[in-house]
Amino acid sequence: SQQGEEDPQALSIQEGENATMNCSYKTSINNLQWYRQNSGRGLVHLILIRSNEREKHSGRLRVTLDTSKKSSSLLITASRAADTASYFCATPNRGTSYGKLTFGQGTILTVHP
Amino acid sequence: GAVVSQHPSRVICKSGTSVKIECRSLDFQATTMFWYRQFPKQSLMLMATSNEGSKATYEQGVEKDKFLINHASLTLSTLTVTSAHPEDSSFYICSASPGQDQETQYFGPGTRLLVL
């Protein structure tokens, strides 16, 4: 298994509903990052949560981190059709806070208008 | 925020030819850039770390003679896919940080390579 596994692989919801995506990792981390990728495009950094943080908010995004379970979740509230994209979690190398990232498999989110 | 560009955005080439992809940090200097590859409906896989003024560091299983990386300046790294084959068709994405101690990385828009 790879560092940063996500579930569900695909999520289909209606506009206005909340979307929750989960990510698990295997080694200790200093931070965990969430990225968004629109189809055929590059990645956009959404939010970074550090290992000493349990929850973080940014607009309609809420990220949690449970280091005891080595898992994180990304919640998008009041989803919009424009939120349709792939979402990835990523972690830097063990023992580092920056540098090369290991990505999860991603969750494909489809928000129907 | 910081901007990273890639050129070209899309390239189609014949099998056996070489293709060069550029990654530029537009408003910051980057001593380190990263190259990733992404197959359809899959995640990003790190290929190599590009270091300005020194040799690139390749991940296990990535052929350094196949994927040549040159980081000639603090704002430009190039990835050359040599003697490309259809199995090299993929989405190539680079990333960079404004500083070595910066946690956030900025990604280029990606280059879609199709080898016929």
Side-chain angles (χ1 to χ4, degrees):
Chain A
S1 298
Q2 294 185 25
Q3 178 87 330
E5 297 183 359
E6 295 173 69
D7 76 88
Q9 291 186 334
L11 181 61
S12 182
I13 60 175
Q14 293 296 126
E15 215 169 21
E17 294 180 340
N18 295 341
T20 300
M21 290 158 269
N22 303 296
C23 167
S24 62
Y25 58 92
K26 296 190 179 303
T27 63
S28 61
I29 59 171
N30 287 356
N31 68 62
L32 185 143
Q33 305 171 35
W34 284 91
Y35 288 85
R36 165 197 169 121
Q37 183 182 36
N38 285 66
S39 181
R41 302 285 186 90
L43 273 70
V44 174
H45 181 265
L46 293 176
I47 197 165
L48 179 151
I49 186 166
R50 294 187 175 84
S51 58
N52 61 352
E53 299 175 308
R54 291 296 167 261
E55 187 172 312
K56 203 163 183 178
H57 296 254
S58 177
R60 294 185 294 113
L61 305 180
R62 172 176 164 253
V63 168
T64 63
L65 180 64
D66 187 335
T67 53
S68 66
K69 295 181 180 178
K70 290 186 169 57
S71 67
S72 174
S73 68
L74 170 67
L75 168 68
I76 303 174
T77 60
S79 63
R80 305 167 182 168
D83 294 329
T84 295
S86 294
Y87 292 82
F88 297 92
C89 67
T91 54
N93 262 7
R94 183 176 187 174
T96 68
S97 298
Y98 43 83
K100 58 184 181 181
L101 298 173
T102 298
F103 283 84
Q105 292 305 304
T107 295
I108 301 172
L109 173 66
T110 303
V111 182
H112 300 281
Chain B
V3 178
V4 176
S5 71
Q6 279 184 243
H7 177 79
S9 59
R10 184 186 297 264
V11 58
I12 301 173
C13 68
K14 292 182 179 179
S15 186
T17 60
S18 294
V19 175
K20 180 185 284 187
I21 302 170
E22 294 185 348
C23 176
R24 292 182 186 272
S25 54
L26 296 185
D27 49 2
F28 65 96
Q29 293 184 334
T31 56
T32 302
M33 292 182 173
F34 301 95
W35 286 97
Y36 295 83
R37 181 166 57 181
Q38 184 181 31
F39 291 107
K41 298 191 185 301
Q42 294 188 24
S43 186
L44 281 74
M45 295 295 293
L46 179 67
M47 298 175 66
T49 301
S50 174
N51 305 299
E52 188 271 335
S54 64
K55 291 183 179 179
T57 306
Y58 291 82
E59 296 299 302
Q60 192 172 10
V62 178
E63 300 175 57
K64 61 181 180 181
D65 295 329
K66 171 77 172 177
F67 300 99
L68 300 178
I69 291 174
N70 187 321
H71 196 148
S73 77
L74 287 170
T75 59
L76 173 64
S77 173
T78 60
L79 168 68
T80 301
V81 183
T82 62
S83 186
H85 291 283
E87 57 265 30
D88 298 323
S89 298
S90 187
F91 194 54
Y92 293 87
I93 307 176
C94 69
S95 73
S97 291
Q100 290 191 343
D101 59 346
Q102 295 294 311
E103 294 171 308
T104 301
Q105 288 194 32
Y106 297 91
F107 284 79
T111 296
R112 175 78 59 193
L113 171 63
L114 176 60
V115 184
L116 302 177

